[in-house]
mmCIF file of all heavy atoms in Angstrom:
data_model
loop_
_atom_site.group_PDB
_atom_site.id
_atom_site.type_symbol
_atom_site.label_atom_id
_atom_site.label_comp_id
_atom_site.label_asym_id
_atom_site.label_seq_id
_atom_site.Cartn_x
_atom_site.Cartn_y
_atom_site.Cartn_z
ATOM 1 N N LYS A 479 13.276 43.799 78.117
ATOM 2 C CA LYS A 479 14.426 44.666 77.879
ATOM 3 C C LYS A 479 15.729 43.881 77.996
ATOM 4 O O LYS A 479 16.679 44.081 77.230
ATOM 5 C CB LYS A 479 14.420 45.832 78.861
ATOM 6 C CG LYS A 479 15.561 46.820 78.629
ATOM 7 C CD LYS A 479 15.528 47.996 79.604
ATOM 8 C CE LYS A 479 16.668 48.960 79.314
ATOM 9 N NZ LYS A 479 16.667 50.110 80.249
ATOM 10 N N GLN A 480 15.791 42.963 78.980
ATOM 11 C CA GLN A 480 16.990 42.142 79.155
ATOM 12 C C GLN A 480 17.204 41.227 77.951
ATOM 13 O O GLN A 480 18.335 41.032 77.490
ATOM 14 C CB GLN A 480 16.859 41.328 80.447
ATOM 15 C CG GLN A 480 16.898 42.177 81.715
ATOM 16 C CD GLN A 480 16.570 41.355 82.961
ATOM 17 O OE1 GLN A 480 16.024 40.251 82.871
ATOM 18 N NE2 GLN A 480 16.891 41.907 84.135
ATOM 19 N N VAL A 481 16.087 40.666 77.429
ATOM 20 C CA VAL A 481 16.196 39.825 76.232
ATOM 21 C C VAL A 481 16.702 40.649 75.052
ATOM 22 O O VAL A 481 17.552 40.195 74.266
ATOM 23 C CB VAL A 481 14.836 39.179 75.910
ATOM 24 C CG1 VAL A 481 14.874 38.470 74.551
ATOM 25 C CG2 VAL A 481 14.433 38.204 77.009
ATOM 26 N N TYR A 482 16.166 41.872 74.920
ATOM 27 C CA TYR A 482 16.596 42.750 73.828
ATOM 28 C C TYR A 482 18.085 43.094 73.949
ATOM 29 O O TYR A 482 18.838 43.038 72.955
ATOM 30 C CB TYR A 482 15.752 44.023 73.835
ATOM 31 C CG TYR A 482 16.264 45.119 72.930
ATOM 32 C CD1 TYR A 482 16.498 44.884 71.579
ATOM 33 C CD2 TYR A 482 16.518 46.394 73.430
ATOM 34 C CE1 TYR A 482 16.972 45.891 70.743
ATOM 35 C CE2 TYR A 482 16.999 47.403 72.610
ATOM 36 C CZ TYR A 482 17.228 47.145 71.265
ATOM 37 O OH TYR A 482 17.693 48.142 70.450
ATOM 38 N N ASN A 483 18.560 43.416 75.139
ATOM 39 C CA ASN A 483 19.981 43.742 75.346
ATOM 40 C C ASN A 483 20.877 42.555 75.017
ATOM 41 O O ASN A 483 21.959 42.706 74.442
ATOM 42 C CB ASN A 483 20.217 44.206 76.788
ATOM 43 C CG ASN A 483 19.664 45.601 77.034
ATOM 44 O OD1 ASN A 483 19.506 46.391 76.104
ATOM 45 N ND2 ASN A 483 19.363 45.921 78.294
ATOM 46 N N ALA A 484 20.434 41.359 75.394
ATOM 47 C CA ALA A 484 21.204 40.153 75.074
ATOM 48 C C ALA A 484 21.283 39.946 73.562
ATOM 49 O O ALA A 484 22.332 39.572 73.019
ATOM 50 C CB ALA A 484 20.579 38.936 75.752
ATOM 51 N N ALA A 485 20.160 40.216 72.858
ATOM 52 C CA ALA A 485 20.155 40.088 71.399
ATOM 53 C C ALA A 485 21.084 41.114 70.761
ATOM 54 O O ALA A 485 21.772 40.824 69.776
ATOM 55 C CB ALA A 485 18.727 40.260 70.870
ATOM 56 N N LYS A 486 21.112 42.329 71.323
ATOM 57 C CA LYS A 486 22.018 43.359 70.803
ATOM 58 C C LYS A 486 23.474 42.938 70.954
ATOM 59 O O LYS A 486 24.281 43.099 70.036
ATOM 60 C CB LYS A 486 21.799 44.689 71.551
ATOM 61 C CG LYS A 486 20.596 45.473 71.088
ATOM 62 C CD LYS A 486 20.696 46.953 71.479
ATOM 63 C CE LYS A 486 20.888 47.128 72.965
ATOM 64 N NZ LYS A 486 20.935 48.558 73.333
ATOM 65 N N ARG A 487 23.811 42.395 72.138
ATOM 66 C CA ARG A 487 25.196 41.964 72.370
ATOM 67 C C ARG A 487 25.586 40.842 71.421
ATOM 68 O O ARG A 487 26.718 40.792 70.922
ATOM 69 C CB ARG A 487 25.377 41.538 73.834
ATOM 70 C CG ARG A 487 25.352 42.702 74.825
ATOM 71 C CD ARG A 487 25.826 42.246 76.199
ATOM 72 N NE ARG A 487 24.914 41.281 76.791
ATOM 73 C CZ ARG A 487 23.875 41.606 77.573
ATOM 74 N NH1 ARG A 487 23.611 42.888 77.813
ATOM 75 N NH2 ARG A 487 23.099 40.669 78.092
ATOM 76 N N HIS A 488 24.651 39.947 71.151
ATOM 77 C CA HIS A 488 24.921 38.828 70.243
ATOM 78 C C HIS A 488 25.199 39.342 68.820
ATOM 79 O O HIS A 488 26.140 38.895 68.159
ATOM 80 C CB HIS A 488 23.727 37.865 70.239
ATOM 81 C CG HIS A 488 23.916 36.677 69.350
ATOM 82 N ND1 HIS A 488 24.991 35.811 69.463
ATOM 83 C CD2 HIS A 488 23.169 36.211 68.304
ATOM 84 C CE1 HIS A 488 24.904 34.869 68.548
ATOM 85 N NE2 HIS A 488 23.802 35.091 67.816
ATOM 86 N N VAL A 489 24.395 40.292 68.357
ATOM 87 C CA VAL A 489 24.611 40.872 67.033
ATOM 88 C C VAL A 489 25.958 41.589 66.980
ATOM 89 O O VAL A 489 26.707 41.469 65.996
ATOM 90 C CB VAL A 489 23.464 41.840 66.665
ATOM 91 C CG1 VAL A 489 23.814 42.639 65.409
ATOM 92 C CG2 VAL A 489 22.173 41.068 66.448
ATOM 93 N N THR A 490 26.292 42.316 68.027
ATOM 94 C CA THR A 490 27.572 43.044 68.066
ATOM 95 C C THR A 490 28.747 42.085 67.953
ATOM 96 O O THR A 490 29.714 42.340 67.220
ATOM 97 C CB THR A 490 27.682 43.856 69.367
ATOM 98 O OG1 THR A 490 26.609 44.809 69.419
ATOM 99 C CG2 THR A 490 29.019 44.603 69.436
ATOM 100 N N ARG A 491 28.658 40.942 68.673
ATOM 101 C CA ARG A 491 29.740 39.954 68.595
ATOM 102 C C ARG A 491 29.854 39.371 67.190
ATOM 103 O O ARG A 491 30.953 39.183 66.668
ATOM 104 C CB ARG A 491 29.503 38.846 69.625
ATOM 105 C CG ARG A 491 29.770 39.245 71.066
ATOM 106 C CD ARG A 491 29.826 38.022 71.970
ATOM 107 N NE ARG A 491 28.526 37.372 72.054
ATOM 108 C CZ ARG A 491 27.597 37.642 72.966
ATOM 109 N NH1 ARG A 491 27.840 38.583 73.880
ATOM 110 N NH2 ARG A 491 26.446 36.994 72.984
ATOM 111 N N LEU A 492 28.708 39.077 66.574
ATOM 112 C CA LEU A 492 28.732 38.520 65.220
ATOM 113 C C LEU A 492 29.290 39.518 64.204
ATOM 114 O O LEU A 492 30.055 39.144 63.310
ATOM 115 C CB LEU A 492 27.324 38.085 64.806
ATOM 116 C CG LEU A 492 26.746 36.851 65.511
ATOM 117 C CD1 LEU A 492 25.327 36.584 65.024
ATOM 118 C CD2 LEU A 492 27.626 35.627 65.262
ATOM 119 N N VAL A 493 28.901 40.796 64.337
ATOM 120 C CA VAL A 493 29.417 41.830 63.425
ATOM 121 C C VAL A 493 30.925 41.977 63.591
ATOM 122 O O VAL A 493 31.670 42.067 62.603
ATOM 123 C CB VAL A 493 28.707 43.181 63.687
ATOM 124 C CG1 VAL A 493 29.424 44.320 62.956
ATOM 125 C CG2 VAL A 493 27.253 43.105 63.243
ATOM 126 N N GLN A 494 31.384 41.981 64.844
ATOM 127 C CA GLN A 494 32.823 42.120 65.086
ATOM 128 C C GLN A 494 33.586 40.937 64.505
ATOM 129 O O GLN A 494 34.648 41.097 63.884
ATOM 130 C CB GLN A 494 33.093 42.228 66.590
ATOM 131 C CG GLN A 494 34.542 42.513 66.952
ATOM 132 C CD GLN A 494 35.033 43.820 66.372
ATOM 133 O OE1 GLN A 494 34.366 44.836 66.485
ATOM 134 N NE2 GLN A 494 36.187 43.808 65.731
ATOM 135 N N ALA A 495 33.034 39.736 64.677
ATOM 136 C CA ALA A 495 33.693 38.544 64.129
ATOM 137 C C ALA A 495 33.718 38.597 62.606
ATOM 138 O O ALA A 495 34.716 38.229 61.973
ATOM 139 C CB ALA A 495 32.976 37.289 64.614
ATOM 140 N N ALA A 496 32.616 39.072 61.992
ATOM 141 C CA ALA A 496 32.558 39.159 60.528
ATOM 142 C C ALA A 496 33.570 40.173 60.007
ATOM 143 O O ALA A 496 34.253 39.936 59.008
ATOM 144 C CB ALA A 496 31.139 39.534 60.094
ATOM 145 N N LYS A 497 33.675 41.314 60.683
ATOM 146 C CA LYS A 497 34.642 42.336 60.266
ATOM 147 C C LYS A 497 36.073 41.824 60.409
ATOM 148 O O LYS A 497 36.921 42.032 59.539
ATOM 149 C CB LYS A 497 34.461 43.613 61.086
ATOM 150 C CG LYS A 497 33.228 44.420 60.727
ATOM 151 C CD LYS A 497 33.165 45.713 61.529
ATOM 152 C CE LYS A 497 31.986 46.578 61.104
ATOM 153 N NZ LYS A 497 31.923 47.836 61.871
ATOM 154 N N THR A 498 36.332 41.146 61.529
ATOM 155 C CA THR A 498 37.674 40.601 61.755
ATOM 156 C C THR A 498 38.051 39.613 60.659
ATOM 157 O O THR A 498 39.151 39.662 60.099
ATOM 158 C CB THR A 498 37.748 39.917 63.134
ATOM 159 O OG1 THR A 498 37.453 40.880 64.147
ATOM 160 C CG2 THR A 498 39.123 39.322 63.371
ATOM 161 N N SER A 499 37.113 38.719 60.346
ATOM 162 C CA SER A 499 37.365 37.725 59.303
ATOM 163 C C SER A 499 37.556 38.400 57.942
ATOM 164 O O SER A 499 38.465 38.045 57.183
ATOM 165 C CB SER A 499 36.196 36.742 59.242
ATOM 166 O OG SER A 499 36.349 35.844 58.168
ATOM 167 N N PHE A 500 36.713 39.382 57.644
ATOM 168 C CA PHE A 500 36.770 40.060 56.342
ATOM 169 C C PHE A 500 38.110 40.762 56.154
ATOM 170 O O PHE A 500 38.794 40.580 55.139
ATOM 171 C CB PHE A 500 35.622 41.069 56.250
ATOM 172 C CG PHE A 500 35.651 41.918 55.010
ATOM 173 C CD1 PHE A 500 35.181 41.432 53.799
ATOM 174 C CD2 PHE A 500 36.158 43.208 55.054
ATOM 175 C CE1 PHE A 500 35.204 42.215 52.657
ATOM 176 C CE2 PHE A 500 36.192 44.005 53.922
ATOM 177 C CZ PHE A 500 35.712 43.499 52.722
ATOM 178 N N PHE A 501 38.514 41.573 57.139
ATOM 179 C CA PHE A 501 39.742 42.345 56.978
ATOM 180 C C PHE A 501 40.991 41.473 57.104
ATOM 181 O O PHE A 501 42.008 41.756 56.486
ATOM 182 C CB PHE A 501 39.787 43.508 57.977
ATOM 183 C CG PHE A 501 38.899 44.656 57.583
ATOM 184 C CD1 PHE A 501 37.741 44.929 58.278
ATOM 185 C CD2 PHE A 501 39.226 45.453 56.496
ATOM 186 C CE1 PHE A 501 36.921 45.987 57.907
ATOM 187 C CE2 PHE A 501 38.414 46.503 56.118
ATOM 188 C CZ PHE A 501 37.259 46.776 56.832
ATOM 189 N N SER A 502 40.907 40.406 57.893
ATOM 190 C CA SER A 502 42.042 39.475 57.966
ATOM 191 C C SER A 502 42.292 38.849 56.600
ATOM 192 O O SER A 502 43.438 38.733 56.159
ATOM 193 C CB SER A 502 41.778 38.383 58.999
ATOM 194 O OG SER A 502 41.689 38.937 60.288
ATOM 195 N N THR A 503 41.196 38.467 55.936
ATOM 196 C CA THR A 503 41.333 37.897 54.592
ATOM 197 C C THR A 503 41.892 38.922 53.619
ATOM 198 O O THR A 503 42.771 38.612 52.798
ATOM 199 C CB THR A 503 39.963 37.399 54.096
ATOM 200 O OG1 THR A 503 39.453 36.429 55.018
ATOM 201 C CG2 THR A 503 40.085 36.772 52.715
ATOM 202 N N LYS A 504 41.401 40.168 53.697
ATOM 203 C CA LYS A 504 41.895 41.235 52.825
ATOM 204 C C LYS A 504 43.393 41.457 53.027
ATOM 205 O O LYS A 504 44.149 41.649 52.071
ATOM 206 C CB LYS A 504 41.141 42.542 53.101
ATOM 207 C CG LYS A 504 39.736 42.570 52.546
ATOM 208 C CD LYS A 504 39.757 42.805 51.046
ATOM 209 C CE LYS A 504 38.366 43.017 50.486
ATOM 210 N NZ LYS A 504 38.391 43.222 49.026
ATOM 211 N N ILE A 505 43.819 41.466 54.280
ATOM 212 C CA ILE A 505 45.238 41.691 54.581
ATOM 213 C C ILE A 505 46.087 40.555 54.038
ATOM 214 O O ILE A 505 47.136 40.766 53.432
ATOM 215 C CB ILE A 505 45.430 41.865 56.109
ATOM 216 C CG1 ILE A 505 44.839 43.200 56.559
ATOM 217 C CG2 ILE A 505 46.899 41.761 56.487
ATOM 218 C CD1 ILE A 505 44.768 43.365 58.056
ATOM 219 N N MET A 506 45.618 39.316 54.239
ATOM 220 C CA MET A 506 46.382 38.164 53.763
ATOM 221 C C MET A 506 46.456 38.124 52.242
ATOM 222 O O MET A 506 47.430 37.639 51.664
ATOM 223 C CB MET A 506 45.749 36.873 54.287
ATOM 224 C CG MET A 506 45.837 36.709 55.789
ATOM 225 S SD MET A 506 47.540 36.686 56.393
ATOM 226 C CE MET A 506 48.109 35.165 55.653
ATOM 227 N N GLU A 507 45.431 38.644 51.564
ATOM 228 C CA GLU A 507 45.393 38.596 50.108
ATOM 229 C C GLU A 507 46.019 39.828 49.461
ATOM 230 O O GLU A 507 46.040 39.924 48.229
ATOM 231 C CB GLU A 507 43.940 38.459 49.639
ATOM 232 C CG GLU A 507 43.313 37.108 49.994
ATOM 233 C CD GLU A 507 41.861 37.014 49.562
ATOM 234 O OE1 GLU A 507 41.293 38.062 49.177
ATOM 235 O OE2 GLU A 507 41.293 35.910 49.630
ATOM 236 N N SER A 508 46.516 40.760 50.259
ATOM 237 C CA SER A 508 47.127 41.976 49.702
ATOM 238 C C SER A 508 48.349 41.607 48.868
ATOM 239 O O SER A 508 49.233 40.876 49.325
ATOM 240 C CB SER A 508 47.545 42.924 50.826
ATOM 241 O OG SER A 508 46.422 43.392 51.517
ATOM 242 N N LYS A 509 48.394 42.108 47.652
ATOM 243 C CA LYS A 509 49.477 41.786 46.736
ATOM 244 C C LYS A 509 50.540 42.872 46.664
ATOM 245 O O LYS A 509 51.538 42.723 45.973
ATOM 246 C CB LYS A 509 48.912 41.533 45.336
ATOM 247 C CG LYS A 509 47.989 40.317 45.274
ATOM 248 C CD LYS A 509 47.472 40.087 43.878
ATOM 249 C CE LYS A 509 46.554 38.876 43.815
ATOM 250 N NZ LYS A 509 46.017 38.649 42.451
ATOM 251 N N SER A 510 50.324 43.974 47.362
ATOM 252 C CA SER A 510 51.305 45.056 47.336
ATOM 253 C C SER A 510 51.215 45.825 48.640
ATOM 254 O O SER A 510 50.218 45.765 49.367
ATOM 255 C CB SER A 510 51.037 46.008 46.155
ATOM 256 O OG SER A 510 49.819 46.708 46.359
#
């Protein structure tokens, strides 16, 4: 269970980083 919880936290961090990168790029590329 502890291994599973650690894997969940790792996925959550990666998803958050991916979303941050995605929307940061979208904001920087906004033309209007």
Side-chain angles (χ1 to χ4, degrees):
K479 183 179 181 180
Q480 292 172 343
V481 171
Y482 169 55
N483 287 336
K486 281 200 304 182
R487 289 192 295 270
H488 181 56
V489 169
T490 299
R491 286 193 294 269
L492 289 178
V493 168
Q494 186 60 48
K497 287 183 176 180
T498 300
S499 175
F500 175 80
F501 284 109
S502 295
T503 302
K504 285 283 187 181
I505 289 170
M506 294 300 294
E507 292 178 349
S508 295
K509 296 181 180 179
S510 68

